[in-house]
């Protein structure tokens, strides 16, 4: 069995484990589900009405029966109905995911455009004043929470200079590309800066190791320019740890950046799952977490396959 098939065979087992964990975890959250769903109106319910609602949502059954019904619906492509939004969970996920995907992609692009050149620059100028400045900036960027960066960006660029909107009704990219990018650039920058700092540090460390290798010295002795040696010979071999870090971060971002989405009022997956947890929307929490777990596994699989493209010495096909 090939490496790809073996990895794909593990997917259902992991998803099953995640489904059991999230099913139990959300039901262990303190509080009554009916009260959380209805808020203050729950106090107006009669005991008979409460029992009827409990039976309607299937909460009167034991956990094994509830899980069995939900799992059976999952195999039919039915993740249930969200009691918070009043629509199928799968439709809600597919409606909100494009925003989260766009935010994740923009954040990754910003992080790599900043982090890779900065890391290479620091490694080439190792132990100099410029290297020290880059490292200090990277440490500051990595230690600063993204919500602090978001608030500072809002205050400086939106409130101070009025350059970009702070928030508002979300506009889809297909409807108004410029308006969409104006809304998304600040949250993407807030998420991308912290990751850019991490990329800078890991790129610098990897490049320092690579620049001391024999093949780099050989390339220099053959008369190639320093820029060619760095960007053509050294950097591609230093990208594997960067790719590993990027895969983990991208999988995390696909799960939604809850705080940043809240600050900028973006209707992404992060806000959906937060609202679902607060409202005890069991079906929505289970569906979104399962979708996030699938994305995370898929991204990690693609990252593993990309290793072979970056380093020809890595082969998966016939490994046992």
């Amino acid at each position: 069995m090939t490496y790809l098939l073996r990895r794909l065979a593990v997917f259902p087992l992991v998803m099953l484990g995640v489904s059991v964990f999230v099913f139990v975890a959300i039901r262990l959250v303190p509080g009554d589900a009916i009260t959380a769903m209805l808020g203050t109106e729950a106090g107006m319910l009669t005991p008979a009405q409460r029992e009827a609602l409990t039976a309607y949502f299937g909460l009167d059954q034991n956990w094994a029966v509830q899980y069995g019904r939900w799992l059976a619906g999952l195999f039919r492509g039915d993740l249930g109905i969200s009691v918070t939004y009043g629509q199928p969970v799968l439709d809600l996920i597919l409606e909100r995911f494009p925003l989260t995907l766009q935010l994740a992609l923009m954040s990754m692009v910003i992080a790599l455009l900043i982090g890779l050149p900065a890391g290479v620059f620091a490694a080439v100028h190792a132990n100099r004043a410029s290297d020290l400045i880059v490292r200090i900036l990277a440490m500051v960027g990595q230690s600063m929470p993204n919500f602090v960066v978001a608030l500072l960006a809002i205050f400086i660029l939106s409130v101070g200079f009025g350059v970009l909107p702070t928030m508002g009704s979300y506009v889809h990219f297909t409807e108004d590309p410029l308006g969409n990018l104006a809304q998304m650039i600040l949250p993407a920058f807030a998420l991308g800066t912290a990751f850019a700092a991490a990329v800078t540090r890991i790129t610098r460390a990897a490049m320092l190791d690579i620049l001391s290798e024999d093949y780099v010295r050989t390339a220099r002795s053959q008369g190639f320019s320093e820029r060619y040696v760095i960007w053509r010979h050294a950097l591609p071999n230093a990208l594997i740890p960067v790719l590993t870090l990027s895969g983990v971060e991208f999988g995390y971002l696909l799960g939604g950046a809850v705080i940043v989405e809240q600050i900028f009022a973006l209707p992404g997956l992060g806000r959906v799952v937060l609202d679902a947890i607060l409202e005890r929307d069991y079906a929505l929490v289970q569906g979104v977490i399962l979708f996030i777990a699938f994305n995370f596994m898929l991204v990690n699989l693609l990252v593993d396959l990309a290793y072979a493209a970056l380093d020809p010495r890595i082969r998966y096909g016939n490994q046992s």
Side-chain angles (χ1 to χ4, degrees):
M1 183 184 293
T2 65
Y3 174 80
L4 178 60
L5 291 178
R6 280 186 282 133
R7 286 291 298 271
L8 291 176
V10 176
F11 271 37
L13 298 177
V14 175
M15 296 292 284
L16 182 63
V18 170
S19 70
V20 172
F21 174 79
V22 70
F23 180 89
V24 174
I26 186 60
R27 283 162 175 78
L28 292 177
V29 175
D32 177 59
I34 300 298
T35 302
M37 292 175 192
L38 299 180
T40 57
E41 295 180 1
M44 303 169 59
L45 294 176
T46 65
Q49 290 173 328
R50 180 177 290 271
E51 290 180 7
L53 280 175
T54 302
Y56 176 78
F57 291 114
L59 301 177
D60 58 332
Q61 303 292 331
N62 61 55
W63 285 6
V65 174
Q66 292 181 45
Y67 180 75
R69 288 178 176 177
W70 179 73
L71 191 63
L74 178 63
F75 285 125
R76 298 192 303 268
D78 178 15
L79 297 178
I81 302 295
S82 167
V83 297
T84 304
Y85 295 91
Q87 63 184 101
V89 171
L90 184 59
D91 293 347
L92 189 60
I93 291 174
L94 296 179
E95 176 187 320
R96 301 297 184 94
F97 181 63
L99 184 151
T100 299
L101 178 61
Q102 180 188 354
L103 182 59
L105 289 173
M106 290 179 64
S107 303
M108 292 295 296
V109 169
I110 290 173
L112 294 176
L113 288 178
I114 296 173
L116 284 176
V120 172
F121 177 83
V124 172
H125 300 84
N127 301 320
R128 300 179 189 175
S130 54
D131 174 37
L132 179 61
I133 293 173
V134 171
R135 282 190 289 164
I136 291 175
L137 291 175
M139 291 181 65
V140 171
Q142 197 167 11
S143 60
M144 186 178 296
N146 53 34
F147 67 87
V148 174
V149 178
L151 294 173
L152 288 175
I154 290 174
F155 181 76
I156 295 173
L157 296 178
S158 295
V159 179
F161 294 96
V163 178
L164 296 171
T166 55
M167 60 185 67
S169 299
Y170 173 70
V171 180
H172 289 278
F173 183 82
T174 53
E175 297 174 2
D176 183 3
L178 294 180
N180 173 270
L181 293 176
Q183 282 185 312
M184 298 293 287
I185 190 64
L186 281 184
F189 177 78
L191 290 172
T193 48
F195 183 51
V199 171
T200 299
R201 297 184 66 183
I202 199 168
T203 301
R204 179 186 179 275
M207 284 292 292
L208 287 176
D209 291 337
I210 296 297
L211 290 175
S212 63
E213 294 288 339
D214 291 338
Y215 66 85
V216 174
R217 289 194 290 267
T218 301
R220 284 170 173 162
S221 67
Q222 291 176 344
F224 292 114
S225 66
E226 186 68 10
R227 177 177 296 181
Y228 182 84
V229 171
I230 291 171
W231 294 98
R232 180 64 182 85
H233 289 275
L235 182 60
N237 292 285
L239 286 180
I240 286 184
V242 177
L243 184 63
T244 302
L245 182 67
S246 299
V248 174
E249 180 69 12
F250 190 62
Y252 160 74
L253 290 174
L254 287 180
V258 179
I259 298 178
V260 171
E261 288 182 6
Q262 283 287 105
I263 291 175
F264 291 96
L266 295 175
L269 280 183
R271 288 187 68 191
V272 166
V273 74
L274 177 62
D275 292 342
I277 292 173
L278 295 176
E279 299 291 338
R280 306 296 194 278
D281 193 341
Y282 294 156
L284 185 55
V285 173
Q286 293 163 191
V288 172
I289 298 299
L290 205 64
F291 182 74
I292 292 172
F294 176 80
N295 286 332
F296 208 96
M297 289 191 297
L298 183 62
V299 168
N300 279 279
L301 175 60
L302 295 177
V303 167
D304 288 347
L305 296 177
Y307 288 158
L310 287 175
D311 190 344
R313 295 171 298 179
I314 299 177
R315 290 291 180 267
Y316 295 119
N318 297 317
Q319 291 179 2
S320 59

